[in-house]
Amino acid sequence: MGATVDWLRTTTPGLLVLCGLAIAVLLFAIIKVKLEPFIALLLTGLALALAAGLPVSKIVGTAIKSGDSILETGFGSILGHIAVIIGLGTVLGAILERSGGADVLTRRLLNLFGEKGAPVAMGLLGLIFGIPVFFDIGIFVLAPLIYVAAKQGGRSLVLYAMPMLAGLSMTHAFLPPHPGPVALGGLLGVSLGWLILMGFICGIPGFIAAGIVWGSYIGKRVQVEVPAEFLVSKDEGTEAAPDEGERVSGGSGGVATAGGVATKTVTTPPSVGLIGAIIAIPLLLILGATFGSQLLDKDSQLLQVLTFFGTPAVALLIAVLVAFYVLGVRRGSTVQELSQLTAESLRPVGMLLLVIGAGAFFGKVISATGIGTALADTMAAAGLPVIVLAYIISCGLRIAQGSATVAIVTTGGIVAPLVASHGYSQMSIALIAMAIAAGSIILSHVNDGGFWIISKFFNLTVKQTLQTWTVLETILSIVSFAVAAILFAIVS
């Protein structure tokens, strides 16, 4: 027995077996036992640390001091990086949704592209509006607009829904301030500026292939009518896009929410330019700091200014304050109403942060046990590039348990030691992060909550959802990973 334990703790094959067993236990706890991922990750991480023979004082600290323990540093290091960013990003999305920005963007895009180009317009709508709002909130807000566009166009609901969903999925998977990319920034030690840049470069081709090309193809072959109850009529009886406060949720009339925030009627909608400018503020500030660090002298006063305002938390705070004023105070909202909006929009964020923190702890345990080094040795022997390994692990975790966030934080923790040991450039690390993000969205099926949201909101049977949404996600994943892998081969 002792020899077996020593083999597991000290040899490369043994450490790989330990890692495999830990992941198997994690998946069993989430899939079969139905434990919350936060609890499952925490339990599995503790069990792996004990099984690997790490000292208790290193795992949880002592009764007097625990600040330098794996448990606290694992949680604290990542949450210190992402909590403010995700919180501010959530608030920004809530105020943009409440202001009627989605309706304004929809009308402008439909006017620009016309009836024949409506599916492309819906794709761009998802792409633009998906930057500041979470994936599921984007569906809740945009679905009623898709219903109306499909009804007016007289074609399948699938033709309009798929491009929009591709836009939402691409931004959610690849771009800050969404949780996955932000978490990867902390886990892999890469700036959000590089993640934004590589996210667009890798994600846009995937969006075009999955949303525009595949969406147009499958939308002509899977015919889905818009049920009458999905639409809300004006007083005069004509069918039109629901006003704020009249949104449809799951086929029944009701008030849409942005993270639990009830919307209200907007009498004077904001301009498209204003909505676009607010969304662009944090992106441009962060990119300015990133490129400034490459082009300017490190002692430059301009670089100090760019770095301060381009820090993600500061950039998002500026965008939120601008949105509060131009979309809130200037349009009649009180500070108290904006405070309530902020509080309500942040309520769903708590569990998300706990999952990411627990995933970071799990990764910290993997690093401390030496499993990362064992993986590096095995990978080197097999000639497998880090970016391919990262994608395969992320795909496996996604397919097995359904949660993109769990797949991202677990994979990030596993490959982080490999990334650190190779001394990659920021661009190369960002491309590895894109590979992980791409793997985390592949093959969405019945164990993914998003699968059922889409099935319900777009009147799809399980078979039709597999034919449309599941294939879309897989195309988005493969194409985006292919772009990341090619660029990685060129620059690394």
Side-chain angles (χ1 to χ4, degrees):
M1 182 66 178
T4 302
V5 172
D6 287 341
W7 178 80
L8 286 171
R9 293 177 175 178
T10 60
T11 68
T12 294
L15 288 169
L16 293 177
V17 168
L18 265 184
C19 184
L21 288 173
I23 292 174
V25 170
L26 173 66
L27 295 176
F28 178 81
I30 294 173
I31 297 170
K32 295 295 184 183
V33 183
K34 306 297 183 185
L35 275 180
E36 279 287 345
F38 158 60
I39 301 295
L41 282 163
L42 186 58
L43 282 174
T44 306
L46 290 170
L48 176 59
L50 292 171
L54 294 179
V56 171
S57 60
K58 187 173 183 179
I59 300 170
V60 296
T62 66
I64 299 174
K65 183 181 179 182
S66 60
D68 56 356
S69 67
I70 295 175
L71 181 60
E72 290 201 13
T73 57
F75 266 85
S77 60
I78 187 67
L79 292 182
H81 175 73
I82 72 167
V84 176
I85 298 171
I86 291 177
L88 289 170
T90 301
V91 174
L92 180 61
I95 187 67
L96 287 171
E97 186 275 326
R98 184 179 185 272
S99 71
D103 301 299
V104 171
L105 283 172
T106 301
R107 286 194 294 270
R108 176 59 63 87
L109 288 170
L110 287 175
N111 289 337
L112 182 63
F113 285 88
E115 185 178 323
K116 290 185 178 180
V120 176
M122 295 298 99
L124 292 176
L125 176 65
L127 199 64
I128 297 168
F129 204 70
I131 293 173
V133 301
F134 287 164
F135 177 76
D136 52 350
I137 300 302
I139 293 176
F140 302 156
V141 173
L142 300 180
L145 307 175
I146 298 295
Y147 304 154
V148 173
K151 189 69 175 179
Q152 292 176 346
R155 292 183 282 180
S156 173
L157 184 56
V158 172
L159 185 65
Y160 299 85
M162 289 302 113
M164 183 273 289
L165 291 172
L168 288 177
S169 183
M170 176 267 173
T171 53
H172 187 78
F174 297 106
L175 295 179
H178 290 283
V182 172
L184 285 172
L187 289 167
L188 302 182
V190 59
S191 75
L192 294 193
W194 277 109
L195 289 175
I196 291 170
L197 188 60
M198 293 301 104
F200 277 115
I201 291 174
C202 298
I204 292 295
F207 160 73
I208 294 172
I212 307 302
V213 178
W214 169 253
S216 298
Y217 173 83
I218 197 65
K220 296 172 183 176
R221 287 159 178 79
V222 176
Q223 296 298 317
V224 178
E225 299 254 337
V226 183
E229 65 270 19
F230 275 33
L231 292 160
V232 177
S233 298
K234 296 284 188 179
D235 291 337
E236 62 270 21
T238 58
E239 290 168 332
D243 287 333
E244 295 293 320
E246 297 178 358
R247 296 193 187 280
V248 180
S249 177
S252 60
V255 181
T257 62
V261 182
T263 59
K264 70 177 185 180
T265 301
V266 174
T267 54
T268 55
S271 68
V272 173
L274 181 59
I275 295 296
I278 292 173
I279 293 173
I281 285 172
L283 300 180
L284 293 177
L285 288 174
I286 293 170
L287 287 173
T290 299
F291 287 116
S293 66
Q294 303 293 316
L295 301 174
L296 299 174
D297 185 86
K298 64 178 181 179
D299 297 322
S300 165
Q301 190 66 34
L302 177 58
L303 178 59
Q304 300 304 310
V305 173
L306 289 174
T307 300
F308 177 79
F309 288 105
T311 299
V314 176
L316 280 165
L317 179 60
I318 292 170
V320 167
L321 293 176
V322 170
F324 273 176
Y325 176 71
V326 299
L327 300 179
V329 174
R330 203 173 72 176
R331 293 158 59 81
S333 296
T334 66
V335 174
Q336 183 179 2
E337 288 173 340
L338 293 173
S339 296
Q340 182 182 0
L341 175 72
T342 300
E344 293 181 357
S345 67
L346 291 174
R347 284 175 186 166
V349 173
M351 183 55 73
L352 175 65
L353 292 176
L354 287 173
V355 170
I356 293 173
F361 163 66
F362 183 75
K364 192 89 170 179
V365 170
I366 287 175
S367 176
T369 58
I371 290 172
T373 303
L375 272 174
D377 294 340
T378 303
M379 183 181 63
L384 194 63
V386 174
I387 195 167
V388 176
L389 177 70
Y391 181 68
I392 291 173
I393 294 173
S394 185
C395 285
L397 288 169
R398 158 66 168 190
I399 293 168
Q401 51 79 46
S403 169
T405 301
V406 172
I408 284 175
V409 296
T410 305
T411 306
I414 291 172
V415 304
L418 313 183
V419 173
S421 65
H422 279 75
Y424 290 119
S425 67
Q426 285 281 289
M427 181 178 179
S428 296
I429 299 174
L431 290 169
I432 294 172
M434 293 304 101
I436 295 173
S440 76
I441 58 172
I442 198 170
L443 207 68
S444 170
H445 60 96
V446 294
N447 65 356
D448 175 18
F451 179 94
W452 298 106
I453 291 174
I454 288 157
S455 175
K456 178 181 180 182
F457 268 78
F458 297 106
N459 198 31
L460 300 170
T461 65
V462 171
K463 179 181 178 181
Q464 288 172 331
T465 311
L466 289 168
Q467 289 176 323
T468 57
W469 164 249
T470 301
V471 177
L472 180 148
E473 284 284 83
T474 303
I475 293 172
L476 178 58
S477 171
I478 292 173
V479 172
S480 298
F481 167 68
V483 175
I486 292 169
L487 290 176
F488 184 81
I490 293 172
V491 302
S492 299

